[in-house]
Amino acid sequence: MTNSTSSVLITGATGQVGREVLASLRGEPDLTVMAASRNPDHAGDLGVPVVLLDYDKTTTIAPALDGVDRLFILTGYTVDMLRQSKSLVDQAVKSGVSHIVHLGACGADDTDVAHYGWHQFVERYIAASGIAYTHLRPEIFMQNLLGYGGIDVVQNGVIRYYVGNARWSWIDGVDIAQVAAAVLRDPAEHAGKTYRLGTEAKTYDEVADVFTQVIGRPFRYEARPPSEFLEIVLSAGGEPAYMDCVYQSFERLSGQGIPGSDEIFNDFTRVTGRSPHTFADFVQRHAERFAY
Ligand SMILES: NC(=O)c1ccc[n+]([C@@H]2O[C@H](COP(=O)([O-])OP(=O)(O)OC[C@H]3O[C@@H](n4cnc5c(N)ncnc54)[C@H](OP(=O)(O)O)[C@@H]3O)[C@@H](O)[C@H]2O)c1
């Protein structure tokens, strides 16, 4: 049963996934939806009240969580997620937050991929807090094709990436947000659940075929060495600890592979009652960006 006075705070609201969560919930009559940002002055286009929240400035956390009932936690591409999430969860307990939805990452409980594991430490910390929770574990975002860590992945019909012929499990960020929104609307229904969100398994050669069909011009995949990835993301200002883990995972994917990295799940449809967006839908939506 939805509480008619429930207040929802969306962190990461200016980013890829958070912005879509907000778009799904904006205007919901039963919810008071707020966004969080380090720069509320630059987030005026979000269409909801924006509160100041900088995980690294702990004095901003208590005011941001004041009166919040349901909290969507998203952290950036950094090992600081561990410290940041701890501060946030500790304050959420004190502020009386009733439900946390956490955006984590890929992998089964026994994953040995380091940054997936960091997200699982955060999951466990949330579970131990006593606050009701729902963990979202998205696989690879289709949005990475729009650019990742300063890398222009798709240029003039060539898709350059760093995982050899590995087949990955993908999901559209819009669909991750749909699941988050469904949980935030009706948290009791989803309490204690972990949702694995990967809806389509494809190699980059197969992704290139989708681009060719949808855009109507030839696309091809060029497998590049993972070392090149690390060089580019670090020079673009990527956080070294996180990006080193991504690099290590790319080395494994290009070689012996990572067990389960192509696994897909039906949690999206079970939660939303809809079919997920396909890769073709994603490419079509961004056709202007990919055309050449
Ligand atoms: N890309 C993938 O394939 C993939 C797969 C699985 C999981 N993930 C996970 O997805 C998450 C990233 O999601 P995304 O791509 O939507 O992120 P994003 O577009 O990079 O946005 C990051 C958001 O975090 C906020 N943020 C960053 N540092 C902050 C701080 N110190 N205090 C408060 N807010 C802060 C930013 O808000 P402001 O700048 O407005 O403050 C921004 O809205 C990561 O946790 C990653 O591990 C990604």
Side-chain angles (χ1 to χ4, degrees):
M1 181 69 87
T2 304
N3 179 340
S4 61
T5 60
S6 291
S7 149
V8 181
L9 182 66
I10 310 298
T11 69
T14 58
Q16 302 191 100
V17 174
R19 187 174 282 275
E20 297 293 339
V21 179
L22 201 55
S24 297
L25 292 178
R26 205 170 22 227
E28 288 275 338
D30 296 341
L31 299 175
T32 302
V33 182
M34 291 175 301
S37 171
R38 286 168 295 183
N39 298 296
D41 293 346
H42 298 149
D45 63 329
L46 295 178
V48 298
V50 185
V51 298
L52 170 67
L53 174 58
D54 184 339
Y55 306 141
D56 298 329
K57 294 185 180 143
T58 47
T59 52
T60 66
I61 299 178
L65 295 192
D66 188 29
V68 170
D69 185 44
R70 304 172 191 175
L71 175 64
F72 176 73
I73 297 184
L74 183 148
T75 49
Y77 297 86
T78 171
V79 66
D80 292 340
M81 69 169 74
L82 293 166
R83 172 179 52 74
Q84 295 171 339
S85 304
K86 181 178 188 305
S87 302
L88 208 48
V89 174
D90 289 346
Q91 183 58 49
V93 172
K94 293 177 196 161
S95 300
V97 169
S98 75
H99 196 106
I100 291 175
V101 180
H102 172 251
L103 185 98
C106 330
D109 286 350
D110 63 351
T111 184
D112 61 355
V113 175
H115 55 305
Y116 303 170
W118 298 343
H119 274 298
Q120 293 187 7
F121 273 110
V122 174
E123 289 179 355
R124 304 294 202 284
Y125 195 72
I126 292 168
S129 75
I131 298 176
Y133 64 86
T134 308
H135 301 321
L136 309 185
R137 285 193 195 164
E139 299 288 329
I140 303 307
F141 298 0
M142 292 178 190
Q143 275 70 9
N144 293 353
L145 273 299
L146 297 166
Y148 183 88
I151 296 168
D152 211 356
V153 178
V154 184
Q155 278 177 306
N156 299 319
V158 183
I159 303 176
R160 291 185 183 79
Y161 221 63
Y162 308 92
V163 296
N165 296 319
R167 178 170 280 109
W168 247 348
S169 175
W170 298 85
I171 180 152
D172 190 330
V174 171
D175 289 345
I176 301 169
Q178 294 289 315
V179 173
V183 176
L184 289 163
R185 273 186 208 105
D186 194 3
E189 182 71 21
H190 304 282
K193 305 262 176 66
T194 297
Y195 294 130
R196 303 283 310 271
L197 303 172
T199 53
E200 198 166 339
K202 285 204 177 332
T203 65
Y204 274 92
D205 280 327
E206 291 163 349
V207 168
D209 289 345
V210 174
F211 273 74
T212 301
Q213 281 157 20
V214 174
I215 305 291
R217 299 257 284 160
F219 280 77
R220 68 182 169 82
Y221 170 48
E222 190 178 304
R224 306 287 306 164
S227 55
E228 181 182 287
F229 165 83
L230 193 57
E231 205 176 299
I232 299 176
V233 288
L234 292 184
S235 60
E239 193 274 309
Y242 189 102
M243 288 306 169
D244 188 61
C245 293
V246 177
Y247 158 69
Q248 302 286 347
S249 71
F250 287 0
E251 285 284 5
R252 286 177 65 186
L253 285 158
S254 315
Q256 79 276 29
I258 295 176
S261 59
D262 60 350
E263 212 178 334
I264 59 171
F265 309 90
N266 66 1
D267 286 352
F268 172 82
T269 299
R270 283 203 293 123
V271 172
T272 65
R274 290 197 288 277
S275 299
H277 288 101
T278 62
F279 228 118
D281 295 331
F282 168 79
V283 176
Q284 187 66 61
R285 192 178 334 125
H286 297 284
E288 220 170 286
R289 157 75 181 72
F290 296 129
Y292 69 98

